[in-house]
Amino acid sequence: MRRPFSLLVLMICALPVWADNLDQLYKVAGWPDQRAHFTDALSAAQQRYRSSLPPAVFQALVDNSNQRFQAQAIDRRALAQLRATLSDSSPALTFFQSPLGRKIVAAELMATRKDQLAKNAQGLPKIQASDDRLLLIGHLAQALPAREAGAEVSLAIAGVAADSLSSMLPGLFGGGQAQGMLDGQRQRLMQQIGADLNNTLLYVYRELSDTELEEFATFAESPEGQAYYQAAVAAVRAGLAVGQNGADLR
């Protein structure tokens, strides 16, 4: 009986460490900061609707989006999905705690700040790069789920208006119709993002040296990196509640 009891004690003791690792990873990899940047983009999107919608519809949009994208709710849903899909958070935590990992996160956070988004609203500048650097960026473009994550963010913001209309006019979108529209939009957005993805990555990671890009690509292409990034896309979708009816989130 001693060995099973000892194993049980070890498992119980390990659980808080695993949970702490995941919470650390969530913070170190920049998730709370990216969520704050998403909130800034959401506020800007809300204001764009103000002049084109009747006051009652606009207020419904604001109320629904504020409820859907409440900060703690996003974090709770995203963390729960990470726990469900990422079996071992240690490799990703080790990478993002490294000097290179912190540099990567800083570059990504810089790119999504509201002032930077406003600055590049008409498109990113064309980045010139050597053949070797273009090859490294190509590897990153294949390994990182930038198309998928970008599409989920865009769908989340676009879905606020549809959700608001649906709440005021129940039955406006049938379940199958809504899912079909969502899937079609997702594919179109991924194609749009993919068309200029290499230049986007060249711009975002412009401060990384070729050696750092190679190390980043090596992690992203590794089984551990792929496990993290696949879990990350699922967590983005869960956190932003893409495709979920607003009533189900109350």
Side-chain angles (χ1 to χ4, degrees):
M1 292 295 291
R2 182 175 299 172
R3 178 172 295 179
F5 177 76
S6 300
L7 180 60
L8 179 61
V9 170
L10 286 172
M11 290 175 65
I12 292 173
C13 291
L15 284 175
V17 174
W18 178 82
D20 287 345
N21 278 351
L22 196 60
D23 288 340
Q24 278 186 277
L25 173 60
Y26 194 78
K27 295 174 183 175
V28 170
W31 286 75
D33 300 284
Q34 290 290 16
R35 184 249 302 139
H37 292 179
F38 171 81
T39 300
D40 290 338
L42 177 66
S43 297
Q46 288 175 345
Q47 292 310 308
R48 286 196 295 271
Y49 283 111
R50 179 185 287 275
S51 61
S52 59
L53 291 176
V57 177
F58 174 74
Q59 191 58 51
L61 181 149
V62 171
D63 292 343
N64 284 338
S65 60
N66 287 348
Q67 178 213 346
R68 177 184 288 267
F69 299 122
Q70 196 271 338
Q72 291 181 340
I74 291 177
D75 288 343
R76 183 181 65 252
R77 292 191 297 258
L79 271 168
Q81 187 63 43
L82 277 177
R83 288 193 177 96
T85 52
L86 186 60
S87 59
D88 183 6
S89 60
S90 296
L93 177 59
T94 298
F95 178 78
F96 286 112
Q97 282 181 324
S98 71
L100 174 58
R102 294 182 185 277
K103 190 172 182 179
I104 290 165
V105 171
E108 293 169 348
L109 291 176
M110 170 67 78
T112 56
R113 274 178 16 191
K114 62 181 179 181
D115 62 321
Q116 294 299 306
L117 293 177
K119 174 185 174 183
N120 298 308
Q122 302 305 314
L124 295 173
K126 188 67 177 177
I127 304 298
Q128 301 299 320
S130 67
D131 289 344
D132 287 344
R133 192 167 181 86
L134 288 172
L135 182 62
L136 291 170
I137 285 293
H139 280 281
L140 269 180
Q142 291 298 316
L144 298 178
R147 299 174 185 84
E148 295 85 348
E152 297 306 321
V153 172
S154 298
L155 285 171
I157 293 177
V160 170
D163 193 40
S164 300
L165 287 173
S166 184
S167 69
M168 298 184 73
L169 300 170
L172 178 63
F173 299 110
Q177 178 189 7
Q179 188 60 49
M181 291 171 61
L182 183 68
D183 292 340
Q185 284 181 295
R186 180 176 285 119
Q187 290 303 314
R188 285 192 295 273
L189 285 166
M190 287 174 60
Q191 289 174 359
Q192 291 171 9
I193 294 168
D196 199 37
L197 181 57
N198 282 21
N199 189 64
T200 299
L201 296 181
L202 281 169
Y203 180 80
V204 172
Y205 302 119
R206 61 192 180 278
E207 299 299 328
L208 271 64
S209 68
D210 287 1
T211 300
E212 290 171 328
L213 274 180
E214 184 174 12
E215 187 177 342
F216 183 17
T218 297
F219 168 74
E221 292 177 323
S222 70
E224 296 81 8
Q226 284 295 291
Y228 168 73
Y229 283 115
Q230 289 171 14
V233 171
V236 168
R237 184 176 298 175
L240 299 180
V242 175
Q244 294 187 42
N245 189 288
D248 297 335
L249 301 176
R250 293 188 178 94

